[in-house]
Amino acid sequence: MGFHRRLAPSGFDRGVSAAGAALTVLSAAAAALGAAVPSATAAPTDHTRAEVDRLYTAAEEATESYNRADERADELREQVTRAQDRIARQQLRVNTMREALGSLAGAQYRAGGLDPSLALLFSDNPDEYLEKAAALDRINLHQAAELRELQAAMRELAQERAEATGTLTELERSRKAVAAHKRTVERKLAKARALLNSLPSADRAAYDRASRSDRADLPDPGTAVAPSARAAAAVAAARAALGSPYVWGSNGPSGFDCSGLMQWSYAKAGVSLPRTSQAQRYAGHQIPLSQAQPGDSISLASGTYTGNFTAGNSGTAAKPIFLCGGSGAVIDGGGTDDGYAFHLNHVSYWRLVGFTVRDAQKGVMADGVVGTVIQGLTVEQIGDEGIHLRDFSSDNMVRDNTVHTTGLRREKYGEGIYIGTAKSNWCTVTNCKIDTSDRNVVLGNHISDTTAESIDIKEGTSDGKVIGNTFDGSKLSGSHNNDSWVDVKGNGWLFQGNTGSHSPLDGFQSHRIVEGWGTGNTFQDNIANVDGPGYGFHLTSDGNKVTCDNKANDAAEGLANITCTS
């Protein structure tokens, strides 16, 4: 959702016009509609809730498709109306020309029965006849011109009718698309409601609190300062909508979807915005990425952005910086042997949403990052690891991403998501200090075709959560100890509601690389379809817990190498 600013394929740009108010209206919109906003400190506690979040996200995407189709249908209806009006005027013109030419032809027929030489012979006044004959020649020339004009008008009329027929056909297709998207939204929302209703009342209440109340990363729309009078009016309108229901496909005034509220709020300020968030992103001015400021919302247009890009400025908890795009917006690192496609370099409070990252040594690298969300990206064709949080990166969330085809440079380093730094690299990355990249949440990601672990959690990291992810280890190399989906060497991590399939040895592993690390981790309600010779859960360090609600299928050694607990 949101007020996005265009980012042209030739280079990263951010919006300036009313940019400071954009996030405020986003925040008011979220508050008004009760939309879930990711938080690094508030995550669902089982895969049912993760699935509900996924369904709501899918429903919102389908709603945007519905809005586009509905907007296109409205445009086509206007085109049909205008075409019908033009056809009517053109038909009247053709009829008038036909009547004029018909009258002239009738007069000539009545007057032109005699051969001209006989008419001259029998004429009482030859001079008068000759004058009439010259006039008749001029009339014939005018008649021929009018006939040509009539023929041209008839061709234009036929073309108008053909175009109108094509527009009507497209309108019918658009109407069908509207209906199809409507059914998709209704189906996903119904499934999400059913899943929510299946939760125990305590879990349902916890989900509501997480999705509606815990919004530390959103500004209070009552205290935010707008940069202009129009921006202030848009914020005021959004605030006035507090308590309005979320109604997909609606732009007010009794209910809204996200982009609908944006359009309505800015209309109250005298600013006309397109209907869909994809179209809204094309409004505004363009400024380089290096000048991104707190509260900016940067939109990537579809296209390929080749190079290694770095975010150097921070947002704030109240005003994060958004970088958003569809899957057709591709950041291409230019080769898997070197470079980070996108580097969050000691910045905080960014939101990376929706676009594709590919063809780099590392996909998304986060060094010294706090309060940042990496959401809905497609990360593919990567030389080493897909997404890496290190160098004291804490309180971040990596959620709902698709990561696949990693390890193209060296299979040893082909992890999907990598948290922290190996002890052997502490002096290189963290000045010989323990890399305490803590309290990070990895939620709802789909990771496949990685040559190393889907998720690798290093010694020194603590108190994170890995929830509701899916892993496919079909491409795990099995060498260099790359023989499980998850390998945890940190402390106090929760692994819940994850599902894995195909592993060369075990599903989940823990190790003690550094004394005092690799302990206090909990594995709960996971499904391990190992299809391999090892365990579902093989924990080689003490102090870890595997609950008995975990399941291991086709694991030759069984559920775990330790006794499960209730």
Side-chain angles (χ1 to χ4, degrees):
M1 70 177 183
F3 186 66
H4 298 298
R5 293 302 189 187
R6 183 179 184 181
L7 184 58
S10 59
F12 286 164
D13 301 274
R14 70 166 176 92
V16 171
S17 176
L23 181 63
T24 303
V25 178
L26 280 171
S27 307
L33 306 179
V37 177
S39 168
T41 59
T45 56
D46 62 36
H47 62 278
T48 300
R49 296 182 224 181
E51 177 67 6
V52 169
D53 283 343
R54 188 190 67 78
L55 286 167
Y56 277 138
T57 299
E60 184 175 339
E61 291 172 354
T63 298
E64 283 293 291
S65 298
Y66 167 86
N67 288 338
R68 286 196 302 273
D70 193 45
E71 188 173 45
R72 179 58 177 160
D74 288 341
E75 293 173 356
L76 291 170
R77 290 187 192 99
E78 292 179 4
Q79 290 179 19
V80 167
T81 299
R82 291 194 298 269
Q84 288 173 336
D85 184 55
R86 289 195 302 270
I87 289 170
R89 291 197 302 269
Q90 190 75 341
Q91 185 66 64
L92 178 62
R93 180 186 172 207
V94 166
N95 292 343
T96 300
M97 294 174 68
R98 278 176 169 166
E99 290 176 2
L101 286 170
S103 298
L104 182 59
Q108 285 183 325
Y109 176 79
R110 288 189 297 273
L114 291 175
D115 179 89
S117 59
L118 292 176
L120 176 62
L121 179 64
F122 292 110
S123 174
D124 294 332
N125 189 338
D127 291 335
E128 180 181 353
Y129 173 79
L130 291 173
E131 289 177 1
K132 288 181 179 180
L136 184 60
D137 286 339
R138 288 193 298 273
I139 290 174
N140 285 337
L141 290 174
H142 178 69
Q143 179 182 358
E146 289 204 347
L147 182 59
R148 287 193 296 272
E149 186 177 355
L150 172 61
Q151 290 171 336
M154 292 179 69
R155 285 194 299 271
E156 290 176 9
L157 179 60
Q159 183 176 349
E160 291 274 7
R161 284 175 171 162
E163 290 175 355
T165 299
T167 303
L168 284 169
T169 301
E170 186 179 353
L171 175 58
E172 183 60 28
R173 286 198 301 268
S174 187
R175 285 172 177 164
K176 291 179 179 178
V178 168
H181 290 308
K182 179 179 179 181
R183 289 193 296 271
T184 299
V185 173
E186 291 173 338
R187 185 172 62 253
K188 291 184 181 297
L189 289 178
K191 187 175 180 181
R193 290 189 206 101
L195 283 172
L196 275 178
N197 291 335
S198 71
L199 291 172
S201 57
D203 287 350
R204 174 69 182 272
Y207 180 87
D208 288 341
R209 287 193 299 272
S211 63
R212 297 181 184 275
S213 299
D214 186 7
R215 298 204 182 114
D217 61 346
L218 286 178
D220 176 1
T223 60
V225 178
S228 68
R230 283 189 170 183
V235 172
R239 289 184 61 211
L242 285 169
S244 299
Y246 181 95
V247 180
W248 67 266
S250 177
N251 60 351
S254 58
F256 305 88
D257 63 16
C258 295
S259 57
L261 180 57
M262 290 297 301
Q263 184 186 48
W264 180 83
S265 298
Y266 274 92
K268 293 296 183 181
V271 178
S272 178
L273 290 182
R275 177 63 183 88
T276 67
S277 62
Q278 287 91 340
Q280 287 171 6
R281 72 188 183 187
Y282 287 95
H285 302 292
Q286 301 174 18
I287 291 179
L289 174 69
S290 60
Q291 297 181 24
Q293 298 297 318
D296 280 350
S297 184
I298 306 164
S299 182
L300 289 166
S302 293
T304 299
Y305 305 79
T306 302
N308 300 143
F309 300 95
T310 300
N313 293 342
S314 290
T316 66
K319 294 183 178 181
I321 298 172
F322 284 79
L323 176 61
C324 308
S327 59
V330 179
I331 295 179
D332 189 308
T336 59
D337 289 335
D338 185 51
Y340 311 149
F342 196 87
H343 190 193
L344 294 160
N345 189 18
H346 295 88
V347 296
S348 300
Y349 302 107
W350 274 71
R351 303 288 183 266
L352 307 183
V353 183
F355 51 90
T356 296
V357 176
R358 72 182 182 203
D359 199 24
Q361 181 184 344
K362 301 177 190 290
V364 178
M365 173 61 80
D367 279 312
V369 172
V370 175
T372 289
V373 179
I374 300 171
Q375 180 176 6
L377 305 188
T378 298
V379 182
E380 61 187 11
Q381 304 293 326
I382 301 299
D384 294 343
E385 65 269 23
I387 298 173
H388 190 169
L389 277 59
R390 70 179 185 184
D391 195 9
F392 311 111
S393 291
S394 298
D395 301 305
N396 304 292
M397 178 175 283
V398 180
R399 65 171 300 170
D400 303 321
N401 302 286
T402 299
V403 182
H404 69 90
T405 317
T406 61
L408 298 180
R409 186 182 76 98
R410 289 190 66 182
E411 63 181 25
K412 177 181 179 180
Y413 302 129
E415 295 89 350
I417 297 174
Y418 189 111
I419 309 294
T421 303
K423 179 182 181 297
S424 59
N425 289 322
W426 284 351
C427 288
T428 301
V429 176
T430 56
N431 197 25
C432 298
K433 298 177 181 178
I434 297 174
D435 187 353
T436 54
S437 292
D438 296 337
R439 298 176 302 281
N440 293 296
V441 176
V442 181
L443 170 69
N445 302 281
H446 179 70
I447 306 171
S448 63
D449 293 345
T450 62
T451 57
E453 295 89 350
S454 293
I455 299 179
D456 193 358
I457 297 171
K458 290 303 183 181
E459 54 273 19
T461 66
S462 302
D463 303 324
K465 296 180 175 67
V466 176
I467 299 172
N469 302 279
T470 60
F471 317 124
D472 185 338
S474 300
K475 295 295 179 67
L476 281 169
S477 66
S479 61
H480 306 290
N481 297 316
N482 294 325
D483 50 13
S484 65
W485 310 307
V486 172
D487 192 346
V488 55
K489 309 170 190 75
N491 290 353
W493 281 78
L494 170 66
F495 300 86
Q496 183 174 13
N498 302 286
T499 300
S501 60
H502 309 298
S503 175
L505 185 60
D506 303 311
F508 298 78
Q509 295 178 350
S510 73
H511 292 92
R512 180 188 291 120
I513 302 299
V514 175
E515 187 65 29
W517 291 98
T519 187
N521 302 296
T522 299
F523 298 83
Q524 179 179 333
D525 194 25
N526 301 284
I527 299 174
N529 299 313
V530 178
D531 192 25
Y535 293 94
F537 302 84
H538 191 188
L539 311 181
T540 59
S541 53
D542 298 329
N544 298 298
K545 181 171 71 172
V546 175
T547 60
C548 295
D549 56 2
N550 290 285
K551 296 179 177 61
N553 302 312
D554 298 321
E557 296 291 343
L559 176 65
N561 66 320
I562 63 173
T563 302
C564 69
T565 61
S566 59

